[in-house]
Amino acid sequence: SYELTQPPSVSVSPGQTARITCSGDALPKKYVFWYQQKSGQAPVLVIYEDNKRPADVPERFSGSTSGTVATLTISGAQVDDEGDYSCYSTDTSGTLRVFGGGTRLTVL
Amino acid sequence: QLQLQESGLGLVKPSETLSLTCAVSGYSINSGYYWGWIRRPPGKGLEWIANFYHDGTTDYNPSLKRRVSILVDTANNQFSLRLSSVTAADAAVYYCARVVISTTYYFDFWGPGAQVSVSS
């Protein structure tokens, strides 16, 4: 089995920088992806291939990796950014596709 | 514009088979993407279930593989998930999604989800 570990919750004030981490042994070799999910809505891809941002995602969202830890950074977080954020990647073989347990971001 | 919509029975009895359909509009499921199913049990993280390609190639979560089947209806541009012998642990919101074929396959567009409960 393979697991990605995220903190259950992160809380920041509006305008502050929010950082959400994702730890996994295969991350030095495998891309990580980040999804935002607001209550009752479908997940939305906000970062792909470690640090690329889809065209319709605000510039305040960025991704980075260092060793076995990937970080999603939201610079100048807004109340509208509240929701659950999940990382996604695979094990080294590419066979097991797994999500992190999710992090609830609160901005208030 | 791509749209995915899940549908199916919202209540399944234990030991029976869960059945959901994903209707795709705005893109042909016969064209260069995989398509997949993911679920989120209440209070838990997302869990990948399976992916498939229109040529019949399938890719299953090993923990669910023996209970999962994917049916493809290209004429109606939709695909279905069957999960047999369900238990309470299979209660979840089930999502269908488009899968980008890249170095790592990933989900770039999701349906709104379908809630499934398991109870007698």
Side-chain angles (χ1 to χ4, degrees), chain A residues 49, chain B residues 31-35 52-54 98-108:
Chain A
E49 295 179 353
Chain B
S31 303
Y33 286 90
Y34 271 68
W35 304 84
F52 79 93
Y53 196 62
H54 65 83
R98 188 175 70 176
V99 183
V100 175
I101 302 172
S102 183
T103 306
T104 300
Y105 290 13
Y106 65 97
F107 314 96
D108 71 335

Side-chain angles (χ1 to χ4, degrees), chain A residues 33 35 37 42 49 88 97 99, chain B residues 40 59 95 102 105 107 111:
Chain A
F33 303 78
Y35 294 91
Q37 187 171 22
E49 295 179 353
Y88 163 79
R97 311 180 193 286
F99 292 87
Chain B
R40 184 191 284 275
D59 188 13
Y95 301 93
S102 183
Y105 290 13
F107 314 96

Side-chain angles (χ1 to χ4, degrees), chain A residues 11-102:
Chain A
S11 183
V12 298
S13 299
Q16 288 188 330
T17 296
R19 293 182 179 86
I20 299 171
T21 59
C22 173
S23 299
D25 289 342
L27 294 186
K29 298 181 180 180
K30 294 296 184 181
Y31 284 130
V32 68
F33 303 78
W34 290 94
Y35 294 91
Q36 175 198 65
Q37 187 171 22
K38 298 180 181 180
S39 180
Q41 298 184 20
V44 173
L45 180 70
V46 294
I47 294 290
Y48 67 102
E49 295 179 353
D50 291 349
N51 54 22
K52 297 181 177 67
R53 192 177 53 248
D56 55 350
V57 172
E59 290 185 6
R60 62 180 180 275
F61 288 86
S62 64
S64 62
T65 62
S66 179
T68 60
V69 180
T71 302
L72 172 69
T73 301
I74 307 172
S75 303
Q78 301 179 2
V79 173
D80 188 55
D81 297 331
E82 284 196 335
D84 289 321
Y85 289 82
S86 299
C87 58
Y88 163 79
S89 187
T90 72
D91 68 344
T92 51
S93 72
T95 302
L96 295 178
R97 311 180 193 286
V98 298
F99 292 87

Side-chain angles (χ1 to χ4, degrees), chain B residues 1 7 10 19 21 24 27 31 34 43-44 50 53 57 63 67 72 88 90 93 97-100 109-110 114 116 119:
Chain B
Q1 182 178 1
S7 63
S19 179
T21 296
V24 180
Y27 201 90
S31 303
Y34 271 68
K44 296 186 177 181
Y53 196 62
T57 303
S63 69
R67 298 195 291 131
V72 183
D90 294 310
V93 177
R98 188 175 70 176
V99 183
V100 175
F109 196 85
W110 301 55
V116 176
S119 174

